[in-house]
Amino acid sequence: MFETFKRGWSMAGASWSVLKAYPKLALFPVLSGIALIAVSAVLIIPTGVGALAGAGMNLSDKAVESVVYVALFLWYFLCTFVVVFCNAALISCALQSFAGQPPTIGSGFAAAAKRLPQILGWSLVAATVGVVLQALQSLLTDKLGFFGDLLAGIFSAVWGVATYFVVPVLVTDGVGPIKAVKRSSGILRRTWGESLAGSGGLGLISLCFILPLIPLFGVGVMLAGRAGGGVASGAILGTLIALSVVYVLALIVVFTALGSIFRAAVYVYATTGVTPSQMDATLLQSSFSSK
């Protein structure tokens, strides 16, 4: 646990040096989140209304269910595309900074747009696999209960591990989704999973930043109680909740950017043996096993 925490802290510090130099990189997760909300509003709400309308028109349950599933798959595909496209733009900017070229939001999106066919292909594969895994989880859970759920979780984890470096591969090599998965798996075998362990450490660091919210909420509840209820108590709790939401969202944005930056750095080191100037060579070298 301590080693994981130490690695996560080192990762955060090394990636922070890049983000601090180019703070606009944090806009990519923000834009991704906004786009996801827009996609959800455009697809899910009409789908729900359409399903109710179909039921009102006495369509069969199977027909309504088919429409819903098609719409949900389209939603899953578009959400995957949004996340991958914005992540590709962010990783492109990180790679530009490693090469000594000041990145911009425009240059990141331009680089991602050059890989649009590959990103679309990967989004389709990822969305299809995601839907299949969800269906498999539902089937296994119904048949085997907890063990089925656990088994499905293992399948999902294996897929996530195998595709860890897919986006950097797409950005730099411009290959199709199948080759991207193969190259991602090959890089991961060379790192012996240490890069994933480091990412887990980064997640542990983010959790440490969230923990202070617990005593903060305790203080807020105590102050609200002393206010005697009514409008004053509601105002205190409402303000506290709003600030907490903003704080958590900011953490998600920052640590999403940090994780992508470090993933790009490990990819550069794994494929070229060159340590980006902003990164710690020892930290990157430790991502590889000597076995």
Side-chain angles (χ1 to χ4, degrees):
M1 177 67 74
F2 177 75
E3 186 62 30
T4 301
F5 181 87
K6 182 180 177 181
R7 182 183 294 277
W9 188 262
S10 299
M11 284 179 60
S15 303
W16 176 255
S17 65
V18 178
L19 188 59
K20 184 172 64 174
Y22 306 105
K24 289 184 179 180
L25 299 186
L27 285 176
F28 288 110
V30 174
L31 295 174
S32 177
I34 294 173
L36 287 176
I37 293 173
V39 168
S40 299
V42 168
L43 285 179
I44 291 184
I45 295 176
T47 298
V49 173
L52 292 176
M57 291 187 294
N58 296 322
L59 294 179
S60 66
D61 291 341
K62 191 170 184 178
V64 173
E65 185 178 354
S66 298
V67 171
V68 171
Y69 274 125
V70 170
L72 287 179
F73 176 80
L74 181 60
W75 171 78
Y76 202 98
F77 166 72
L78 290 176
C79 287
T80 302
F81 171 76
V82 165
V83 172
V84 173
F85 188 83
C86 289
N87 197 23
L90 173 54
I91 287 177
S92 296
C93 285
L95 295 174
Q96 291 169 24
S97 72
F98 297 156
Q101 304 169 1
T104 64
I105 300 298
S107 67
F109 279 128
K114 290 181 180 178
R115 303 302 188 193
L116 187 59
Q118 291 82 2
I119 292 175
L120 283 170
W122 169 242
S123 298
L124 181 60
V125 169
T128 302
V129 173
V131 170
V132 170
L133 287 175
Q134 288 291 333
L136 181 62
Q137 180 177 9
S138 178
L139 177 63
L140 290 175
T141 301
D142 289 342
K143 297 295 184 180
L144 302 176
F146 170 77
F147 293 103
D149 195 28
L150 180 62
L151 188 60
I154 293 175
F155 290 151
S156 297
V158 169
W159 173 249
V161 167
T163 59
Y164 184 75
F165 287 106
V166 160
V167 176
V169 170
L170 291 177
V171 169
T172 57
D173 298 343
V175 298
I178 304 303
K179 285 188 177 180
V181 173
K182 290 181 179 178
R183 293 186 185 182
S184 173
S185 300
I187 294 171
L188 196 68
R189 282 195 297 270
R190 277 186 282 164
T191 65
W192 289 86
E194 291 297 320
S195 51
L196 288 175
S199 294
L202 197 60
L204 185 60
I205 297 298
S206 65
L207 178 61
C208 291
F209 278 94
I210 293 177
L211 288 178
L213 289 178
I214 297 176
L216 181 62
F217 261 103
V219 172
V221 171
M222 182 180 66
L223 292 176
R226 289 185 177 181
V231 177
S233 296
I236 292 174
L237 291 177
T239 301
L240 182 61
I241 292 173
L243 291 176
S244 299
V245 169
V246 171
Y247 177 72
V248 170
L249 289 177
L251 284 179
I252 291 174
V253 167
V254 170
F255 278 91
T256 298
L258 294 180
S260 295
I261 291 170
F262 190 80
R263 187 178 308 190
V266 174
Y267 175 78
V268 169
Y269 185 82
T271 54
T272 67
V274 176
T275 301
S277 58
Q278 301 94 328
M279 291 289 170
D280 182 2
T282 303
L283 179 62
L284 291 178
Q285 289 167 3
S286 69
S287 295
F288 293 80
S289 174
S290 59
K291 296 180 181 180

